[in-house]
Amino acid sequence: MIIERAEVIVTSPSRNFVTLRLTTDEGLIGLGDATLNGREHSVVAYLQEHVVPLLIGMDAHRIEDTWQFLYRGAYWRRGPVTMTAISAVDVALWDLKAQAAGMPLYQLLGGASRKGLLAYGHASGNDTEELFDSIRHHLERGFRAIRVQTAVPGVRAVYGVPHDVTVSNGVRSQEYEPASRGAYPAEEDWDTRAYLRHVPTVFGAVRTEFGPELPLLHDGHHRMTPIQAASLGKSLEPYDLFWLEDCTPAENQEALRLVRQHTTTPLAIGEVFNSVWDYQGLIREQLIDYVRSSVTHTGGITHLRRILDFAAQYQVKSGMHGPTDISPVGMAAAMHLGLAIHNFGIQEFMPHSAKTNSVFAQSFTWKDGLLHPGEQPGLGVTLDVDEAGKYPYEQAYLPFNRLADGTVHDW
Ligand code: KDG
Ligand code: MG
């Protein structure tokens, strides 16, 4: 199975996606997600200039060898651009191997360990009424676990809460898309003390309204110092969160030690990580409970599986990143891996738009609150190249934060 063509396809149906498309001498087509939100073209260039020329003529069956060749052969290790590019190649090769074997990818990874994947949706609101509506809306759509994000009094725009809620036929659109198209990032503002005062009151109200059973999650989005994060974890304990995500900026693994000493709220981290080395201390010291990495940004199935196998030794589970900036190809890879591993925890699931789905045909199912990647050979995703061509790339940036005095703060 020889790689004859390797194309990097950039398309923007609702938002930007980058996909690596490999074609073999037998005419099989394998796909890999290479989308790095807000920095898409860096991965396009990495792939086009430095990786595609190496792939032509290669044996597509040699997944491990190709991974090591791209990782070690580059000399420069790790980093989101490199690891996203390697992931795209790795996932496209797994897609091809599974198609060649005539089985869905999860079968090649060891077969199903469960019926389907518990997935959480994103509920949010500017006030309690909006938030409750949004939670009900997600429950009606089948979600059995809900991430709760809320506006903070006095703060203009907050991560996770749509600024412009659209209402069509009486239904509010509650999907939050942080990257905004334009030539400059949107500026948001932030006040950690106001946030720390407000969030526990919101979770209290949600528990009173929806009862003790519903798994609730929350994303701190890297904004707190370790001691602030410890204080939030402690004040949320009565509301029994499934997890508190990214409570501190992720670069400093030691910060989590301090947080852990003060709270039993489960911790999830790692959507901006890209290798096992980012997790080494966190997992070995059992400072986290969930690994947030996506297949897309962490060196593909090959490398994320290695992280999750390491995590399993310490009872740390998966919680793969799954916002809309993980393309349908990346989501399919996550679903196959999640179905196969033993230490699956939960999958983030933010459904893609109809426009996105017109470019990427998918075979996953969503039933009784569980995702399943489907039974088609390979990943089960195809890319309609003509349809993709209708949506050219549009510059888009993630927002950034400033404090009241103008200081740039983590977004
Ligand atoms: O590209 C950035 C988003 O993927 C990120 O803001 C989403 O934090 C996120 C989440 O938990 O889904
Ligand atoms: Mg997050």
Side-chain angles (χ1 to χ4, degrees), residues 41-79:
H41 276 131
S42 56
V43 189
V44 173
Y46 192 107
L47 283 169
Q48 259 166 357
E49 306 294 325
H50 305 293
V51 175
V52 162
L54 307 176
L55 296 177
I56 309 304
M58 220 179 223
D59 178 358
H61 276 304
R62 299 184 64 182
I63 299 177
E64 178 67 30
D65 184 66
T66 303
W67 197 96
Q68 300 298 342
F69 171 60
L70 293 177
Y71 183 78
R72 293 174 203 280
Y75 186 67
W76 309 107
R77 297 184 184 208
R78 305 155 65 188

Side-chain angles (χ1 to χ4, degrees), residues 157-341:
V158 174
Y159 167 77
V161 184
H163 312 176
D164 307 309
V165 176
T166 51
V167 182
S168 159
N169 295 329
V171 178
R172 297 170 64 251
S173 166
Q174 280 128 335
E175 297 303 356
Y176 171 76
E177 178 57 70
S180 55
R181 292 175 169 190
Y184 199 78
E187 184 175 323
E188 299 188 345
D189 45 24
W190 186 246
D191 177 346
T192 308
R193 292 187 68 233
Y195 164 80
L196 292 177
R197 280 194 304 275
H198 186 61
V199 170
T201 68
V202 171
F203 275 88
V206 171
R207 276 288 175 230
T208 304
E209 180 71 13
F210 294 93
E213 287 297 332
L214 183 63
L216 298 175
L217 302 86
H218 180 68
D219 192 345
H221 224 259
H222 325 276
R223 289 161 191 217
M224 287 163 274
T225 63
I227 202 70
Q228 289 168 337
S231 153
L232 180 64
K234 210 164 162 180
S235 59
L236 291 175
E237 278 172 23
Y239 312 115
D240 186 27
L241 264 61
F242 186 96
W243 78 34
L244 171 61
E245 176 190 345
D246 285 338
C247 58
T248 64
E251 294 97 318
N252 179 13
Q253 296 190 25
E254 294 190 4
L256 274 294
R257 203 175 292 139
L258 189 143
V259 181
R260 197 63 144 181
Q261 281 162 357
H262 291 278
T263 180
T264 56
T265 293
L267 302 175
I269 209 156
E271 69 182 38
V272 300
F273 288 179
N274 47 68
S275 85
V276 70
W277 305 107
D278 300 313
Y279 284 102
Q280 204 185 19
L282 295 180
I283 292 176
R284 211 181 37 225
E285 291 188 46
Q286 304 184 108
L287 301 180
I288 57 168
D289 301 281
Y290 296 93
V291 164
R292 283 286 288 141
S293 282
S294 62
V295 172
T296 301
H297 300 135
T298 321
I301 300 266
T302 297
H303 194 64
L304 184 53
R305 175 143 210 181
R306 222 148 258 167
I307 297 174
L308 292 172
D309 283 345
F310 171 46
Q313 313 311 312
Y314 298 89
Q315 293 173 287
V316 175
K317 295 188 175 192
S318 73
M320 288 177 229
H321 194 209
T324 46
D325 46 289
I326 303 296
S327 87
V329 176
M331 283 302 291
M335 288 184 224
H336 285 280
L337 182 59
L339 196 66
I341 56 173

